[in-house]
Amino acid sequence: MSDSNNHKMEQLLSAYRERLMLYKTELEALWQTADHDVRSVQHIMSIAHKLNGSGKAYGLVELSQLARELEQACETAKALSLRELRASLSIPIHALLATLERETIARHSNRAPNCQPNSALQVNDTSNTIDILLIDDDPDFSNQLSEVLSQYGYQAHCQDDITQLDQAIADYDPVALIVDMDFSGQRFAGANHVSSWRQSSGAPLPVFFVSGYDSFELRLASVRAGGTHYLRKPLDIPKLVSLLNSELNIAPSEPYRVMLVDDDNDLLKLYDEFLTNAGYNVTIATSAQDALRLLEQSHPELILIDVYMPGCNGIELGKIIRQHEEFATIPLLFMSAAADTDMQLACARLANDEFINKPIELWRLLMVVKSRVKKGRHLRSHIGTLTVADAQAAHDSLTALPKLASLLRDIEKALPSQTPENVIAVAKIDIRDFHTINNLHGYYFGDEVLQRLTWELTQRINPGDTLYRESGDEFLLLTQAHTNQASVERYISSLIKAIEDAQIVSKHGMMVLTADVGVVFSTKNSTAGELLDHADMAIFKAKKSPTAEVCYFDEALKQAQKQCFLLENAIQKGLANDQFIAVYQPIYQVNDNKLAGFEALARWQHPERGLLGPGEFIPLMEEKGLISRLTYQMLTQALSQCATWHRKHPHLFMSLNLSARDIQKPLFLDHLTSLLSHYQLNPSRIVLEITESLLLFDWQQASYLLRQLGDLGVQLALDDFGTGYSSLSYLQRIDAAKLKIDRSFIHQWSLTGDARLLQTMVQLGKTMNMSIIAEGVEKTEELSFLRQLGCDQYQGFLAAKPMMAEEIEQTHWA
Ligand code: C2E
Ligand code: CA
Ligand code: CA
């Protein structure tokens, strides 16, 4: 940025600081009347809202934060009486006033906000050279390079002492840095100094590290210092120049046209100045009427609209713009506060695009604007007839990344150039547990996180590589020009690191995210479709692991998944051909060993492999959504069997297992109802065993279903009790008649003699008036001990294994 631009920014900031004084006076006056005039509070809130937004944009982070706290306090204070309200606002307002005071005093001493656009869209103006700072302790290298760069319109300022980095940046105000890694014996000095400069200033200048060496450590240090690129000496000059040009967006094109509509003048001025400095052609409007009037003259390629404007709000303005045919396809981008979800939905519907949450820092503004206009124009110029709608279809509207279809095309294009020295890989990146972010903080916050991660990733990827967004939290990366697979592996690790290092702050504090990655290397005969399939297989495996992982596709993986596929097919066939049968494990009274009932357990009569246990098929059935069919068949068999046995032994119960999936889609409910009535069964003799995982899945749906089961009169048993995370809370939440203590606890007692857990569980169940069933009883001592504890019933190999129905009849009633 030139001196005059910088000067302008400083002027803007000091003008802003002066206005802060006015805000302070106004707030003080309003505070005087806040205990007898509700409108005062409203007014205070709107000032806080403004300061939150503009403070952050001007780089006054603390001010913005305090303003936000005050705004929130006003929001919650609405419900209070006037006197209480004063008490609850007192702290936040005084904190804000104090900071306002401080910031106004500081107005003469401070530099402009850190708003140097890192990707200045320099318009081709040859009268202006482009300042670069070159720091290297080898003067010959520096002189030569600066000579060469001057031929490309760059003026390189040379500095040989890395400890003078900060000063040199202040002196020359460069748009990019080229920094040597090692300085006379001090390894990594370049990275270290850049890193500490970044921490103190945070200006997003691109940094090119250069070094005579190449190693993982060096590259890692460069990445950690926020290096944009890493180049080896001797430098490949055309490459350096092309990277510089691309970083700095030096293109002989006409500037992009952007319109900003906002009623907050402070913000508008700052954004205008900032984007203008970055090379945009900016039109500003302070009201809807203004905007509509200016639209015809300025033909913007993107319109940013503030949602909150008095008179005609942003959404209404958007609708009016859409009514004009010639403006109907201009992309709109709304700026709004995070809290208004309804508002945001309305924006999303209207704009077919998204909104950015205020307050908007300058870097985010630039990123959002840049990605949209640049891609939009790029597409229009490549395909003359392309409409904005087409452009939006090819690009993801949230992140402005290209979508899957472009990736397929790009892979096809890249494949012919692969050689053993030019390794091409496709990586699929999936943010771990992203759904919990959406669940905890809402989709809008989730969207912001995705934008942020996009930013971090695009900053780190190699030139020539492209990032794509597939859907949700899934990104795809096409990476090329690696000399070996190890280089891809290091590269992928650095990208994951970028995700982990992104400091994402939510209202609950800082979050650390990580990602699963599936990678596939192309081979001689690869096709685009196949590479994507294989990347899918790899990430599928990565996601299954309990911790985040990078998985590389190989043939074994393919085989394993093929097995899975075959198994699924065989299961499908088995379900269609009644190969799944119920076996029954008797359950006895602890005190007199009398038969009390059965648990029906599934077996697969496999045509080739014989009788298989549930471990062989239930996990896959659950994964593939087939379990509800098993439940259906088990109910059919077990209830019919129960009806037969009830003719002579009506007191026996029949217990069946449900899976979490059954709760999601309770297809079995109707079936259960009709079976009960068909066989005239006493519903209280039917027990359904549920586990905690089933409740965790979707508590609302689960409690609804459990109520319906209660209405039917069937009983519930809590299965595998004690093995989950929140057994206690789940005990309280549902009304179950039986509690089944998992066999691991019985086993554990046998091994260690430690009875505390068992005892506690039995007592707990008793307190809740439940009947306690112990599972997996294998030894007489276990049974005697359970008797002592007062356990009601048991099942286990000691008394009987699961058996076929005929076997039960022979052993029990012959
Ligand atoms: P579960 O519900 O805990 O069932 C008890 C398991 O413990 C059965 O294993 C049973 O054979 C075994 N078992 C019983 N007594 C003893 C003993 O003394 N020692 C030992 N070591 N094991 C004993 P199984 O039949 O292999 O079933 C395993 C799991 O598969 C079941 O655990 C249940 O979670 C699931 N399952 C079985 N059938 C069905 C079904 O029809 N539907 C659903 N959703 N899940 C089922
Ligand atoms: Ca069970
Ligand atoms: Ca169990």
Side-chain angles (χ1 to χ4, degrees), residues 719-720 742 775:
D719 205 356
D720 302 341
D742 191 70
E775 293 182 322

Side-chain angles (χ1 to χ4, degrees), residues 599 657 689 691 718-721 740-743 775 795:
E599 175 173 4
N657 294 282
E689 302 193 0
T691 60
L718 300 183
D719 205 356
D720 302 341
F721 188 74
K740 298 189 77 171
I741 297 181
D742 191 70
R743 67 164 183 267
E775 293 182 322
Q795 69 188 97

Side-chain angles (χ1 to χ4, degrees), residues 658-673:
L658 288 185
S659 121
R661 293 274 183 165
D662 290 320
I663 295 287
Q664 274 185 309
K665 260 202 212 156
L667 295 175
F668 72 93
L669 204 60
D670 284 346
H671 189 52
L672 175 62
T673 314

